Amino acid sequence: MNDRAVAVVRGGALTTVQDLGRTGYAHLGVPRSGALDPAAARLANRLVGNDEGAAVLETTVDGCALRPRSAVTVAVGGAPCALRADGRPLPWGTAVRVPAGALLEIGPAVRGLRSYVAIGGGIAVDPVLGSRSTDLLSGLGPAPLADGAVLPLGAATAVRGSVDAPPWPGPPDELVLRVRLGPRDDWFTRGALHALTTRAYLVSSASNRIGLRLDGPALERARPGELPSEGMVLGAVQVPPDGRPVVFLADHPTTGGYPVVAVVREADLGAAAQAAPGTPVRFVTAR
Amino acid sequence: MRVLRVGERALLVELADGAAAEAFHAELLRRRADGALPGVREIVPAARTVLLDGVAEPARLAAELPGWEVRPSHARVGEVVEVPVRYDGPDLADVAARWGVSPGEAVRIHSSAEFRVAFCGFAPGFGYLTGLGARYEVPRRATPRTAVPAGSVALAGPYTGVYPRSSPGGWQLIGTTDAVLWDTGREPAALLSPGTRVRFVPAPRTGAGR
């Protein structure tokens, strides 16, 4: 292996390789996958001179540590966190140079959940069905980072432009999700639809890349029986038999048999990816 | 046909039954191949719906779809994929009992039907295959297994499916295949995709040790 690579010193709780996902295979049961906070991944890539769709690392809660084999340009965005190279503090949210062999530590998220580590050249693992993303539901793409693993990097290009302190939206204190009702809102009582859009839910600790699970009032069905399996979209608010809604995130199953009461706007899902367990959630209807 | 809006950029087309959904799905693929269906990223058939996702102009397409003339789905000329099966599943006797036949007769019934992949999902490479008559429907197991081995051939409701990899599952297991359902190093990765015709061929029992 050449020196365009980084060694994983500490993989962290869950660090995965993500790009903008694999589309066009939902009919074969392949989830879209991709960065849960795509705006953060795109911006981090831009800061280091990568294409927006280059593969980055998505950390979860407690960061990770890497040792690049050659000097690299790195930008970390998404959830704010402390950065250090060989113990020296580095700025978050902007492009920094890390020398060959230095220990780059991406600290735990101070707020939010997921930090995005873009490295000049991008993570160059072999793509699967056109994407380098790790899909935790179906096990496609590279395994979550393990201590001692080595990740290849692509050829870096010069950093263009002069955006060195871009605005980063902070993780939400309250998550407001704009939804369009349907396609199966008629499977629920009027009271359930009223509860969905007026009562507060809380992000559950059972949330993951597949779905944002919510605690709160159970949504009551207006009709019994089973829904034949049908296609599911990103942002679908699916309601399993316990009545507690689940908002489908990037690794969601492509078909499912529980009714979808509403669909969250895609633009609001990046904030959902940064909402820690216990964060209040409100659904508001929007056309 | 009923066209339901799904979020900002998707449509769920609800058809009368599975056969109508298959015919409508075939029509969509035909039009896409002819370049007459631009601005649609994903076409996902299911039990009696077809989802169109990543639709550039959903309102316009939703208004147009009910006016389509859908040609009836006729038998495909595509080859039949043969899946060799050892009918050794732990639920085979239960399934045969539900059908009111001997296990040997259950094997004959299952292996003489021609199946089609109605839709996929659950896991990459997992197809929901129709082809057994309505009288052979079986319920899911009351208690799902925590681990169903890869290659398990299984029944639930009107469907037959093959587990591409080990996973939890509640279907009734009737056999095992060595066929590789999903291999991303292969083109195409999926052995079975919507519309594929399938036959299950009883494999001779091998000696002890397998």
Side-chain angles (χ1 to χ4, degrees):
Chain A
M1 183 172 290
N2 66 26
D3 63 356
R4 291 295 302 162
V6 291
V8 177
V9 177
R10 183 178 69 84
L14 174 67
T15 303
T16 59
V17 177
Q18 298 294 339
D19 54 21
L20 299 180
R22 44 181 75 82
T23 54
Y25 300 96
H27 64 290
L28 298 179
V30 176
R32 166 193 314 224
S33 198
L36 284 196
D37 186 346
R42 286 173 195 268
L43 183 47
N45 269 326
R46 287 216 308 275
L47 289 170
V48 299
N50 288 347
D51 288 340
E52 290 190 334
V56 301
L57 299 178
E58 177 184 278
T59 68
T60 313
V61 182
D62 77 339
C64 65
L66 308 169
R67 197 185 295 279
R69 292 182 172 178
S70 59
V72 292
T73 304
V74 173
V76 179
C81 57
L83 297 187
R84 285 181 298 176
D86 284 340
R88 285 179 298 106
L90 294 174
W92 171 92
T94 189
V96 294
R97 204 64 187 152
V98 177
L103 176 65
L104 172 64
E105 293 174 276
I106 292 104
V110 178
R111 300 179 62 218
L113 296 180
R114 296 177 168 98
S115 303
Y116 290 85
V117 185
I119 305 175
I123 308 294
V125 295
D126 288 337
V128 175
L129 300 177
S131 167
R132 296 182 166 91
S133 290
T134 299
D135 162 5
L136 294 175
L137 181 71
S138 44
L140 299 185
L145 263 56
D147 299 355
V150 176
L151 299 170
L153 298 176
T157 54
V159 177
R160 291 179 302 269
S162 57
V163 180
D164 56 7
W168 291 91
D173 293 324
E174 180 196 44
L175 186 61
V176 178
L177 299 176
R178 291 167 295 173
V179 297
R180 182 181 183 121
L181 290 178
R184 300 295 176 193
D185 49 323
D186 59 343
W187 279 57
F188 297 89
T189 62
R190 289 172 63 99
L193 297 179
H194 185 71
L196 177 73
T197 52
T198 55
R199 304 276 300 276
Y201 285 84
L202 296 176
V203 175
S204 150
S205 58
S207 301
N208 55 23
R209 283 186 46 87
I210 296 167
L212 188 75
R213 291 170 188 282
L214 302 177
D215 291 327
L219 299 180
E220 191 195 350
R221 287 264 201 100
R223 51 189 286 184
E226 283 196 36
L227 179 73
S229 270
E230 60 191 29
M232 293 284 143
V233 299
L234 183 68
V237 184
Q238 199 194 50
V239 184
D242 71 4
R244 304 262 172 354
V246 180
V247 178
F248 275 168
L249 302 179
D251 289 358
H252 72 86
T254 62
T255 60
Y258 298 134
V260 170
V261 66
V263 178
V264 177
R265 284 202 182 178
E266 196 167 334
D268 294 352
L269 293 174
Q274 298 294 2
T279 302
V281 180
R282 271 194 308 124
F283 291 99
V284 297
T285 50
R287 282 272 121 184
Chain B
M1 176 195 297
R2 203 159 69 111
V3 181
L4 303 169
R5 291 289 297 269
V6 181
E8 300 158 277
R9 276 193 279 278
L11 301 174
L12 187 69
V13 185
E14 197 174 70
L15 289 309
D17 54 26
E22 270 196 53
F24 187 75
H25 177 236
E27 180 72 26
L28 284 163
L29 296 187
R30 232 178 347 247
R31 290 184 185 231
R32 183 161 72 175
D34 292 346
L37 190 70
V40 177
R41 199 173 55 217
E42 306 270 9
I43 300 176
V44 187
R48 57 187 186 90
T49 58
V50 182
L51 174 75
L52 301 171
D53 194 10
V55 181
E57 297 182 74
R60 198 182 60 76
L61 188 58
E64 186 191 308
L65 289 174
W68 279 16
E69 186 184 333
V70 177
R71 282 172 271 178
S73 182
H74 44 80
R76 308 281 173 93
V77 289
E79 280 183 29
V80 176
V81 172
E82 294 198 339
V83 176
V85 184
R86 296 184 299 280
Y87 281 95
D88 57 3
D91 301 325
L92 179 64
D94 285 352
V95 168
R98 284 188 180 275
W99 290 355
V101 301
S102 68
E105 178 65 5
V107 169
R108 195 196 63 74
I109 290 167
H110 192 258
S111 60
S112 54
E114 182 177 302
F115 294 84
R116 286 161 69 88
V117 180
F119 60 100
C120 295
F122 172 65
F126 187 90
Y128 292 76
L129 279 59
T130 54
L132 284 177
R135 61 178 292 252
Y136 298 117
E137 291 193 12
V138 295
R140 280 161 209 256
R141 286 171 50 84
T143 308
R145 289 184 170 87
T146 53
V148 173
S152 294
V153 177
L155 305 180
Y159 302 114
T160 290
V162 186
Y163 284 79
R165 59 176 193 152
S166 176
S167 61
W171 290 33
Q172 311 266 3
L173 310 185
I174 61 168
T176 316
T177 181
D178 294 329
V180 177
L181 276 292
W182 178 257
D183 176 2
T184 55
R186 183 176 69 188
E187 178 57 41
L191 179 67
L192 310 179
S193 57
T196 303
R197 300 157 69 199
V198 182
R199 270 186 184 283
F200 292 97
V201 180
R205 284 188 177 273
T206 51
R210 283 242 14 184

